[in-house]
Amino acid sequence: MENDLIKSLKKLLGLMLGLSFVIVIMIGALVLVNINPDFLPKSEVIGSADLAEVNMQEGDLVKDGIHMSTGLVAEEGYETVIANCTNCHAADLIIQNRGSKERWMALIDWMQETQGLWDLGSNEEIIVNYLSEYYAPIQRGRRPNLVDIEWYELKE
């Protein structure tokens, strides 16, 4: 009985010494990297700037002509719209509206008078041109004529 207890204590002591050795090695490695960050190869070190660049690239992804993170049409001027408009409201608010140049200019004037929108300067023309081009009113007329219809006779 006492021999089993002694053997168990020896195993426990050996395990604790092994873990202590591993912990000392890990602390030494952390201290070494902290003192000399160039100790690790550059490809293994990922800093916050690298992560920000990766996130920025994912956020700027354009697929099938649509800016994926905003849903805006990715054509000339959309970056200016994102930079000036989505600071205060979601791009969905733009996408769900349509208007002519006059309508978009009136909305901008309203936002400047009542919502605290800053003077857009030369960006206003870029923004209005973009919005009136890609978010213009939809012309609706009669539905198109039916084609390729297979007519059938009603049976009584």
Side-chain angles (χ1 to χ4, degrees), residues 17-66:
L17 285 174
L19 284 174
S20 298
F21 180 73
V22 169
I23 289 172
V24 168
I25 295 296
M26 290 176 66
I27 289 172
L30 288 174
V31 169
L32 178 64
V33 169
N34 195 24
I35 292 172
N36 185 9
D38 294 331
F39 179 74
L40 294 176
K42 289 288 183 190
S43 61
E44 293 181 17
V45 177
I46 298 176
S48 60
D50 297 332
L51 291 176
E53 185 175 316
V54 169
N55 290 336
M56 187 67 165
Q57 290 172 352
E58 290 175 359
D60 288 340
L61 181 66
V62 174
K63 184 176 180 183
D64 297 329
I66 302 295

Side-chain angles (χ1 to χ4, degrees), residues 83-101:
N84 288 278
C85 302
T86 60
N87 287 326
C88 299
H89 56 76
D92 291 342
L93 197 56
I94 299 168
I95 294 169
Q96 70 185 7
N97 287 294
R98 300 222 166 244
S100 63
K101 275 188 176 183

